[in-house]
Amino acid sequence: MPELPEVEVTKRGIEKVLLNSTITKVFIGEKSLREPLSSKLKELEGAKVLKLSRRAKYIIISTDKGSIILHLGMSGHLKILDYNVDLILHDHFALYLDNGKSIRLNDPRRFGLVLFVPLGEDPYQNKHLSSLALEPFDPKFTKEYLKEKIKNKKMSIKQALMDSKVVVGVGNIYASEVLFLSKIDPRRNANTVSLDECALLVKNIVSVLRASIARGGTTLRDFSGADGKPGYYVQDLNVYGHEGKPCPICQSPICNVTLGQRSTFYCPKCQK
DNA sequence: AGTGGCACCTGTGTGC
DNA sequence: TGCACACAGGTGCCAC
């Protein structure tokens, strides 16, 4: 479900309710996500939420008793509900707050992640975060940086853009969209992409992700922000999910090819 | 070292 | 209607 824009929209949504609140109760489901949920999360009862941040597709909730690292996987959502609303199927984690609200993590496929980071430990040093590449909105994310990262890569440029050691936050939807806007064939080996093309990619990664955040993300099946509102960027998608439909530029039918076991959409005429 | 393949899960849509 | 199968927004490990 979530790529960077959806995670950012979710983070902004729960931030309004979580910031400066006190956690009165922690619910920990029995089923394991990507990793089992630590019972130490219970230590956060009574903690005051000090800060929310996002790194790649991870949300970090910092409190005065430790931090939580959250990942939504493929099918995870965070929802804000009143304190007394019952848990439902696939709710695996919840924070109940002193302001009468609660945050629920619902994740049918259980590819998500909830980690407890003790006070004094830096969540950014966690193994899931420590080896991540630059954020796309980092000023250091430039054409020269991207070119350097991919110059020896034989994998397709599409897979390279989704590689979290190249740049973070670009998932399967936005990789196709960015390549379309950059007029680059997703099947090309990454090492054939020129510096000028890297400039286009950097520009379009930033603009597509920003635009999607502004639109509340992309709702394909069931994504919604923490407030329940869907994302409207789906209306702006040019190629993703558009197999057989006319290219918005040249009207050629959009193609779908599998790269790295993921569906990839492109215009065979516009993208070289 | 870099890369492709696959595993981790459940839900939904499609075609027979 | 029922069933089998393909596919879904991510990530990390494993064998080459």
Side-chain angles (χ1 to χ4, degrees):
Chain A
M1 167 199 95
E3 299 185 32
L4 187 148
E6 293 74 39
V7 175
E8 179 65 25
V9 167
T10 298
K11 178 234 163 194
R12 292 181 187 182
I14 63 169
E15 192 167 33
K16 294 175 201 158
V17 174
L18 270 175
L19 209 55
N20 299 317
S21 72
T22 296
I23 298 166
T24 56
K25 189 171 75 175
V26 177
F27 166 76
I28 304 171
E30 290 182 6
K31 285 196 175 173
S32 190
L33 303 182
R34 245 161 76 194
E35 295 177 14
L37 279 74
S38 167
S39 58
K40 289 184 180 172
L41 289 159
K42 279 277 180 192
E43 292 177 19
L44 294 167
E45 291 182 348
K48 185 174 181 184
V49 178
L50 302 175
K51 189 182 171 194
L52 270 81
S53 40
R54 179 192 57 71
R55 175 76 172 104
K57 296 167 191 165
Y58 294 87
I59 294 172
I60 300 156
I61 303 171
S62 305
T63 81
D64 59 2
K65 292 190 171 190
S67 308
I68 303 168
I69 297 175
L70 264 173
H71 194 284
L72 301 175
M74 287 279 258
S75 59
H77 313 254
L78 288 170
K79 285 252 168 70
I80 302 166
L81 293 171
D82 285 338
Y83 199 100
N84 290 326
V85 176
D86 288 340
L87 293 166
I88 60 171
L89 185 65
H90 305 310
D91 278 347
H92 303 297
F93 180 67
L95 297 174
Y96 294 85
L97 309 174
D98 65 340
N99 56 19
K101 299 291 184 185
S102 61
I103 307 288
R104 323 287 177 94
L105 171 65
N106 189 275
D107 183 6
R109 292 178 73 181
R110 292 195 273 127
F111 292 164
L113 189 65
V114 181
L115 294 175
F116 175 72
V117 182
L119 199 61
E121 277 184 33
D122 180 1
Y124 287 81
Q125 296 305 314
N126 180 275
K127 66 169 180 178
H128 292 99
L129 304 190
S130 60
S131 57
L132 293 172
L134 284 183
E135 289 285 323
F137 303 142
D138 191 312
K140 293 195 284 291
F141 181 55
T142 61
K143 62 180 177 181
E144 291 84 6
Y145 167 89
L146 182 59
K147 177 68 182 167
E148 177 65 24
K149 283 286 185 184
I150 66 175
K151 67 176 184 185
N152 293 322
K153 287 205 178 292
K154 291 182 199 156
M155 64 172 70
S156 70
I157 181 61
K158 194 259 193 169
Q159 287 169 275
L161 293 182
M162 292 175 66
D163 183 343
S164 64
K165 289 191 164 52
V166 173
V167 62
V168 302
V170 181
N172 203 38
I173 299 177
Y174 298 109
S176 282
E177 292 299 312
V178 163
L179 286 160
F180 173 77
L181 293 171
S182 306
K183 302 189 186 300
I184 296 170
D185 189 318
R187 299 168 297 177
R188 270 173 57 191
N189 289 351
N191 59 14
T192 69
V193 173
S194 71
L195 187 61
D196 283 348
E197 288 173 320
C198 284
L200 272 176
L201 287 170
V202 167
K203 176 176 81 82
N204 287 317
I205 287 170
V206 171
S207 65
V208 163
L209 295 180
R210 279 203 197 289
S212 181
I213 291 169
R215 295 276 251 149
T218 297
T219 295
L220 287 184
R221 293 156 168 258
D222 53 2
F223 169 75
S224 60
D227 55 5
K229 287 185 189 145
Y232 295 102
Y233 193 78
V234 63
Q235 298 165 11
D236 298 350
L237 296 178
N238 287 296
V239 291
Y240 186 86
H242 288 200
E243 182 179 8
K245 294 183 184 158
C247 164
I249 307 282
C250 77
Q251 318 305 321
S252 300
I254 297 300
C255 293
N256 178 359
V257 66
T258 299
L259 294 173
Q261 295 89 238
R262 312 301 297 276
S263 287
T264 306
F265 299 88
Y266 68 102
C267 171
K269 217 168 180 180
C270 292
Q271 293 176 251
K272 301 295 179 194

PDB file of all heavy atoms in Angstrom, chain A residues 3 11 54 67 75 94 146 155 181 189 200 213 216 222 224 232 241 245 249 265 271:
ATOM      1  N   GLU A   3       3.785   4.007  -0.309  1.00  0.00           N
ATOM      2  CA  GLU A   3       5.111   4.485  -0.662  1.00  0.00           C
ATOM      3  C   GLU A   3       5.341   5.755   0.154  1.00  0.00           C
ATOM      4  O   GLU A   3       4.554   6.082   1.035  1.00  0.00           O
ATOM      5  CB  GLU A   3       5.194   4.742  -2.171  1.00  0.00           C
ATOM      6  CG  GLU A   3       4.940   3.453  -2.969  1.00  0.00           C
ATOM      7  CD  GLU A   3       5.129   3.610  -4.459  1.00  0.00           C
ATOM      8  OE1 GLU A   3       5.980   4.412  -4.875  1.00  0.00           O
ATOM      9  OE2 GLU A   3       4.431   2.937  -5.211  1.00  0.00           O
ATOM     10  N   LYS A  11       1.762   9.958   8.527  1.00  0.00           N
ATOM     11  CA  LYS A  11       2.504  10.554   9.645  1.00  0.00           C
ATOM     12  C   LYS A  11       1.922  11.913  10.029  1.00  0.00           C
ATOM     13  O   LYS A  11       1.722  12.200  11.221  1.00  0.00           O
ATOM     14  CB  LYS A  11       3.974  10.690   9.246  1.00  0.00           C
ATOM     15  CG  LYS A  11       4.853  11.349  10.301  1.00  0.00           C
ATOM     16  CD  LYS A  11       5.593  12.520   9.716  1.00  0.00           C
ATOM     17  CE  LYS A  11       6.137  13.449  10.754  1.00  0.00           C
ATOM     18  NZ  LYS A  11       6.544  14.732  10.154  1.00  0.00           N
ATOM     19  N   ARG A  54       9.758  10.947   9.940  1.00  0.00           N
ATOM     20  CA  ARG A  54       9.701   9.905   8.928  1.00  0.00           C
ATOM     21  C   ARG A  54      11.077   9.716   8.329  1.00  0.00           C
ATOM     22  O   ARG A  54      11.784  10.691   8.083  1.00  0.00           O
ATOM     23  CB  ARG A  54       8.708  10.285   7.816  1.00  0.00           C
ATOM     24  CG  ARG A  54       8.616   9.238   6.693  1.00  0.00           C
ATOM     25  CD  ARG A  54       7.862   9.754   5.491  1.00  0.00           C
ATOM     26  NE  ARG A  54       8.435  10.957   4.932  1.00  0.00           N
ATOM     27  CZ  ARG A  54       9.589  11.000   4.263  1.00  0.00           C
ATOM     28  NH1 ARG A  54      10.290   9.894   4.054  1.00  0.00           N
ATOM     29  NH2 ARG A  54      10.061  12.150   3.820  1.00  0.00           N
ATOM     30  N   SER A  67      11.304   5.086  21.952  1.00  0.00           N
ATOM     31  CA  SER A  67      10.728   5.382  20.635  1.00  0.00           C
ATOM     32  C   SER A  67      10.081   4.156  20.027  1.00  0.00           C
ATOM     33  O   SER A  67      10.368   3.020  20.418  1.00  0.00           O
ATOM     34  CB  SER A  67      11.810   5.886  19.684  1.00  0.00           C
ATOM     35  OG  SER A  67      12.522   6.956  20.254  1.00  0.00           O
ATOM     36  N   SER A  75       0.314  -3.597   3.243  1.00  0.00           N
ATOM     37  CA  SER A  75      -1.135  -3.472   3.468  1.00  0.00           C
ATOM     38  C   SER A  75      -1.475  -2.782   4.786  1.00  0.00           C
ATOM     39  O   SER A  75      -2.617  -2.850   5.224  1.00  0.00           O
ATOM     40  CB  SER A  75      -1.781  -4.866   3.438  1.00  0.00           C
ATOM     41  OG  SER A  75      -1.212  -5.704   4.445  1.00  0.00           O
ATOM     42  N   ALA A  94      -2.006  -0.913  18.937  1.00  0.00           N
ATOM     43  CA  ALA A  94      -2.778   0.317  19.158  1.00  0.00           C
ATOM     44  C   ALA A  94      -2.196   1.097  20.317  1.00  0.00           C
ATOM     45  O   ALA A  94      -1.686   0.518  21.285  1.00  0.00           O
ATOM     46  CB  ALA A  94      -4.251  -0.009  19.427  1.00  0.00           C
ATOM     47  N   LEU A 146      22.991  10.656  -7.950  1.00  0.00           N
ATOM     48  CA  LEU A 146      22.263   9.527  -8.546  1.00  0.00           C
ATOM     49  C   LEU A 146      23.144   8.797  -9.557  1.00  0.00           C
ATOM     50  O   LEU A 146      23.207   7.559  -9.558  1.00  0.00           O
ATOM     51  CB  LEU A 146      20.973  10.023  -9.204  1.00  0.00           C
ATOM     52  CG  LEU A 146      20.097   8.938  -9.830  1.00  0.00           C
ATOM     53  CD1 LEU A 146      19.656   7.892  -8.805  1.00  0.00           C
ATOM     54  CD2 LEU A 146      18.866   9.551 -10.511  1.00  0.00           C
ATOM     55  N   MET A 155      21.346  -3.799 -13.129  1.00  0.00           N
ATOM     56  CA  MET A 155      19.900  -4.005 -13.019  1.00  0.00           C
ATOM     57  C   MET A 155      19.167  -2.904 -13.795  1.00  0.00           C
ATOM     58  O   MET A 155      19.764  -1.901 -14.185  1.00  0.00           O
ATOM     59  CB  MET A 155      19.455  -4.000 -11.559  1.00  0.00           C
ATOM     60  CG  MET A 155      19.684  -2.667 -10.861  1.00  0.00           C
ATOM     61  SD  MET A 155      18.968  -2.553  -9.199  1.00  0.00           S
ATOM     62  CE  MET A 155      19.991  -3.650  -8.254  1.00  0.00           C
ATOM     63  N   LEU A 181       7.599  10.240 -16.910  1.00  0.00           N
ATOM     64  CA  LEU A 181       7.798  11.701 -17.011  1.00  0.00           C
ATOM     65  C   LEU A 181       9.201  12.036 -17.501  1.00  0.00           C
ATOM     66  O   LEU A 181       9.423  13.081 -18.110  1.00  0.00           O
ATOM     67  CB  LEU A 181       7.537  12.365 -15.654  1.00  0.00           C
ATOM     68  CG  LEU A 181       6.077  12.312 -15.176  1.00  0.00           C
ATOM     69  CD1 LEU A 181       5.972  12.801 -13.733  1.00  0.00           C
ATOM     70  CD2 LEU A 181       5.170  13.124 -16.087  1.00  0.00           C
ATOM     71  N   ASN A 189      19.276  -0.820 -18.691  1.00  0.00           N
ATOM     72  CA  ASN A 189      20.210  -1.022 -17.585  1.00  0.00           C
ATOM     73  C   ASN A 189      20.517   0.323 -16.940  1.00  0.00           C
ATOM     74  O   ASN A 189      20.721   1.323 -17.646  1.00  0.00           O
ATOM     75  CB  ASN A 189      21.515  -1.645 -18.089  1.00  0.00           C
ATOM     76  CG  ASN A 189      21.327  -3.094 -18.501  1.00  0.00           C
ATOM     77  OD1 ASN A 189      20.271  -3.684 -18.251  1.00  0.00           O
ATOM     78  ND2 ASN A 189      22.326  -3.667 -19.127  1.00  0.00           N
ATOM     79  N   LEU A 200      16.918  14.670 -14.922  1.00  0.00           N
ATOM     80  CA  LEU A 200      15.464  14.555 -15.112  1.00  0.00           C
ATOM     81  C   LEU A 200      14.834  13.678 -14.039  1.00  0.00           C
ATOM     82  O   LEU A 200      13.775  13.991 -13.503  1.00  0.00           O
ATOM     83  CB  LEU A 200      15.177  13.923 -16.476  1.00  0.00           C
ATOM     84  CG  LEU A 200      15.071  14.832 -17.683  1.00  0.00           C
ATOM     85  CD1 LEU A 200      14.875  13.988 -18.937  1.00  0.00           C
ATOM     86  CD2 LEU A 200      13.897  15.798 -17.505  1.00  0.00           C
ATOM     87  N   ILE A 213       2.008  13.875  -2.155  1.00  0.00           N
ATOM     88  CA  ILE A 213       1.772  14.240  -0.754  1.00  0.00           C
ATOM     89  C   ILE A 213       0.689  15.325  -0.683  1.00  0.00           C
ATOM     90  O   ILE A 213      -0.244  15.257   0.115  1.00  0.00           O
ATOM     91  CB  ILE A 213       3.075  14.726  -0.089  1.00  0.00           C
ATOM     92  CG1 ILE A 213       4.051  13.564   0.079  1.00  0.00           C
ATOM     93  CG2 ILE A 213       2.780  15.362   1.283  1.00  0.00           C
ATOM     94  CD1 ILE A 213       5.464  13.986   0.474  1.00  0.00           C
ATOM     95  N   GLY A 216      -2.694  14.004  -0.949  1.00  0.00           N
ATOM     96  CA  GLY A 216      -3.100  13.010   0.052  1.00  0.00           C
ATOM     97  C   GLY A 216      -2.695  11.600  -0.300  1.00  0.00           C
ATOM     98  O   GLY A 216      -3.227  10.643   0.248  1.00  0.00           O
ATOM     99  N   ASP A 222      -7.390   0.553  -1.101  1.00  0.00           N
ATOM    100  CA  ASP A 222      -8.011   0.933   0.160  1.00  0.00           C
ATOM    101  C   ASP A 222      -7.145   1.843   1.014  1.00  0.00           C
ATOM    102  O   ASP A 222      -7.403   1.987   2.181  1.00  0.00           O
ATOM    103  CB  ASP A 222      -8.330  -0.334   0.958  1.00  0.00           C
ATOM    104  CG  ASP A 222      -7.109  -1.218   1.092  1.00  0.00           C
ATOM    105  OD1 ASP A 222      -6.038  -0.827   0.610  1.00  0.00           O
ATOM    106  OD2 ASP A 222      -7.234  -2.296   1.661  1.00  0.00           O
ATOM    107  N   SER A 224      -6.041   4.955   2.932  1.00  0.00           N
ATOM    108  CA  SER A 224      -6.584   6.240   3.357  1.00  0.00           C
ATOM    109  C   SER A 224      -5.648   6.823   4.392  1.00  0.00           C
ATOM    110  O   SER A 224      -4.887   6.112   5.037  1.00  0.00           O
ATOM    111  CB  SER A 224      -7.984   6.079   3.937  1.00  0.00           C
ATOM    112  OG  SER A 224      -7.943   5.228   5.050  1.00  0.00           O
ATOM    113  N   TYR A 232      -5.853  11.348  -3.552  1.00  0.00           N
ATOM    114  CA  TYR A 232      -6.377  11.661  -4.880  1.00  0.00           C
ATOM    115  C   TYR A 232      -5.324  11.660  -5.975  1.00  0.00           C
ATOM    116  O   TYR A 232      -5.628  11.980  -7.120  1.00  0.00           O
ATOM    117  CB  TYR A 232      -7.104  13.008  -4.838  1.00  0.00           C
ATOM    118  CG  TYR A 232      -8.330  12.943  -3.957  1.00  0.00           C
ATOM    119  CD1 TYR A 232      -8.315  13.460  -2.666  1.00  0.00           C
ATOM    120  CD2 TYR A 232      -9.485  12.300  -4.395  1.00  0.00           C
ATOM    121  CE1 TYR A 232      -9.429  13.362  -1.842  1.00  0.00           C
ATOM    122  CE2 TYR A 232     -10.605  12.196  -3.578  1.00  0.00           C
ATOM    123  CZ  TYR A 232     -10.567  12.731  -2.299  1.00  0.00           C
ATOM    124  OH  TYR A 232     -11.665  12.621  -1.491  1.00  0.00           O
ATOM    125  N   GLY A 241      -0.983   1.056 -13.718  1.00  0.00           N
ATOM    126  CA  GLY A 241      -2.310   0.451 -13.763  1.00  0.00           C
ATOM    127  C   GLY A 241      -3.083   0.748 -15.040  1.00  0.00           C
ATOM    128  O   GLY A 241      -4.251   0.410 -15.150  1.00  0.00           O
ATOM    129  N   LYS A 245      -4.353   1.173 -22.055  1.00  0.00           N
ATOM    130  CA  LYS A 245      -4.997   2.483 -22.234  1.00  0.00           C
ATOM    131  C   LYS A 245      -4.049   3.421 -22.981  1.00  0.00           C
ATOM    132  O   LYS A 245      -2.843   3.217 -22.986  1.00  0.00           O
ATOM    133  CB  LYS A 245      -5.374   3.082 -20.876  1.00  0.00           C
ATOM    134  CG  LYS A 245      -6.459   2.283 -20.154  1.00  0.00           C
ATOM    135  CD  LYS A 245      -6.859   2.927 -18.846  1.00  0.00           C
ATOM    136  CE  LYS A 245      -7.869   2.054 -18.116  1.00  0.00           C
ATOM    137  NZ  LYS A 245      -7.915   2.319 -16.680  1.00  0.00           N
ATOM    138  N   ILE A 249       0.363  11.257 -23.742  1.00  0.00           N
ATOM    139  CA  ILE A 249       1.121  12.102 -24.663  1.00  0.00           C
ATOM    140  C   ILE A 249       0.864  11.704 -26.124  1.00  0.00           C
ATOM    141  O   ILE A 249       0.500  12.533 -26.938  1.00  0.00           O
ATOM    142  CB  ILE A 249       2.645  12.000 -24.408  1.00  0.00           C
ATOM    143  CG1 ILE A 249       2.974  12.282 -22.936  1.00  0.00           C
ATOM    144  CG2 ILE A 249       3.419  12.909 -25.354  1.00  0.00           C
ATOM    145  CD1 ILE A 249       2.979  13.709 -22.524  1.00  0.00           C
ATOM    146  N   PHE A 265       4.845  -0.284 -15.723  1.00  0.00           N
ATOM    147  CA  PHE A 265       4.036   0.269 -16.803  1.00  0.00           C
ATOM    148  C   PHE A 265       4.828   1.355 -17.524  1.00  0.00           C
ATOM    149  O   PHE A 265       5.509   2.159 -16.884  1.00  0.00           O
ATOM    150  CB  PHE A 265       2.729   0.838 -16.237  1.00  0.00           C
ATOM    151  CG  PHE A 265       1.882  -0.208 -15.547  1.00  0.00           C
ATOM    152  CD1 PHE A 265       2.068  -0.497 -14.200  1.00  0.00           C
ATOM    153  CD2 PHE A 265       0.917  -0.921 -16.250  1.00  0.00           C
ATOM    154  CE1 PHE A 265       1.300  -1.469 -13.561  1.00  0.00           C
ATOM    155  CE2 PHE A 265       0.142  -1.895 -15.619  1.00  0.00           C
ATOM    156  CZ  PHE A 265       0.341  -2.170 -14.275  1.00  0.00           C
ATOM    157  N   GLN A 271       9.018   6.483 -24.204  1.00  0.00           N
ATOM    158  CA  GLN A 271      10.133   6.197 -23.297  1.00  0.00           C
ATOM    159  C   GLN A 271      11.224   5.441 -24.030  1.00  0.00           C
ATOM    160  O   GLN A 271      10.996   4.353 -24.571  1.00  0.00           O
ATOM    161  CB  GLN A 271       9.617   5.408 -22.081  1.00  0.00           C
ATOM    162  CG  GLN A 271       8.682   6.248 -21.221  1.00  0.00           C
ATOM    163  CD  GLN A 271       8.076   5.479 -20.061  1.00  0.00           C
ATOM    164  OE1 GLN A 271       6.889   5.176 -20.069  1.00  0.00           O
ATOM    165  NE2 GLN A 271       8.891   5.165 -19.062  1.00  0.00           N
TER     166      GLN A 271
END
